[in-house]
Amino acid sequence: MLCTLWLLLSAMSAQAQSAALHISRIFDGGVVSPERMVLTRVSGKALARYQLSYYRSARFKATATEAETVAALVAKDKALCDRNHLSAQTVKRNSDGIRTESTVFALPPEKRLNRFISLITQKDAQGQTLVTLIYMEGTVKDVRQLGKLINKP
Amino acid sequence: MKDIHTLTNRFFDGLTTPDEEQQLYDYFAAADLPDDLRPLKQMFLDLRAVAAPCITTGVAHPKRQPHGLQRLAVAAAVIAAVGLSTVLHFCPSESYELSLYGKIYTDKATVMREVTRTMYVATDHAPDVDGELRQAFGNY
């Protein structure tokens, strides 16, 4: 009984941290229904190579209104951004006319874990927007180090 | 064997069969890789490591033990349970969940494929933090 309770508490603690954010509404299907999304939720040693302990992502095609709602929710969480950490935002347009906006920032750490949010929106010439939203927790120091770990051959 | 680039693309689209995945794991385990595929080597090595089949063994039923040993066994089990739960609390358990347009998958390989894909999307289009810092402070 005690063992089960402890296991539950461990699993719930990571979820609780992301549930407290505005972006949790996106992951919970409050903006786009889950049937239209590719959602992942991972915790455990498979993430260890990235110095992460928890990873949650949502990938979906959004209407213009839905994309604006997503951006607004991310902006609300970005207002909490830890200014001691690096954050960045870029806009690119490639030769196919796809406009890509990318935002990544760190939230204040909780329980000695660093937290990051990454939002990438890719809008094509036909007005379709592909949204990729990622929430990560771990001991990785900052966004720059995370990028190096992800791209490490 | 299909062309390796075709197989790799099929892998990222979630279309490979177990045999094709094994071909990829074996290929990327080799020392020489073309430059464009070298960044994927570690990922496939990691996936190869977790793709090994698990071997389960049966559990023998314990014989009845005298009372004293029984109490000792119960005490040891309680201590082990408390110890294990403490370890698990600080070393969180693993869980893998993918919801693919409403259909749920919980096997590690399938879930981690999507995680890898989104991570690469994030870093492909990630702001070049180093570049921006160099640009901002390059004159100092």
Side-chain angles (χ1 to χ4, degrees), chain A residues 103-123:
Chain A
T103 300
V104 59
F105 56 92
L107 296 163
E110 268 197 27
K111 297 178 184 175
R112 287 178 290 182
L113 286 176
N114 294 321
R115 303 182 295 157
F116 307 93
I117 292 177
S118 175
L119 173 67
I120 303 103
T121 56
Q122 295 162 276
K123 191 172 178 181

Side-chain angles (χ1 to χ4, degrees), chain A residues 39-111:
Chain A
L39 298 161
T40 64
R41 180 158 44 193
V42 179
S43 62
K45 61 184 179 188
L47 300 171
R49 66 186 291 241
Y50 308 114
Q51 295 176 19
L52 295 173
S53 57
Y54 183 72
Y55 183 96
R56 199 166 187 196
S57 71
R59 182 164 62 86
F60 52 92
K61 283 197 177 147
T63 62
T65 308
E66 288 164 347
E68 280 172 18
T69 304
V70 167
L73 289 168
V74 171
K76 283 184 179 176
D77 286 329
K78 196 175 178 196
L80 306 167
C81 139
D82 185 348
R83 299 190 193 283
N84 293 321
H85 280 71
L86 293 169
S87 67
Q89 190 157 355
T90 58
V91 178
K92 294 182 202 173
R93 190 184 293 275
N94 69 11
S95 54
D96 294 333
I98 296 178
R99 177 191 159 95
T100 302
E101 289 190 30
S102 175
T103 300
V104 59
F105 56 92
L107 296 163
E110 268 197 27
K111 297 178 184 175

Side-chain angles (χ1 to χ4, degrees), chain B residues 105-117:
Chain B
Y105 297 86
T106 54
D107 66 288
K108 186 176 176 178
T110 305
V111 177
M112 289 309 293
R113 272 203 290 270
E114 173 63 20
V115 168
T116 306
R117 169 189 277 201

Side-chain angles (χ1 to χ4, degrees), chain B residues 2-39:
Chain B
K2 286 192 174 104
D3 167 61
I4 198 64
H5 289 88
T6 304
L7 271 181
T8 307
N9 289 335
R10 281 170 55 81
F11 179 87
F12 284 114
D13 289 334
L15 297 174
T16 42
T17 64
D19 280 346
E20 287 173 334
E21 285 170 16
Q22 190 59 51
Q23 286 175 35
L24 282 168
Y25 301 153
D26 293 341
Y27 177 85
F28 278 91
D32 288 327
L33 292 172
D35 289 343
D36 62 322
L37 293 179
R38 209 165 287 146

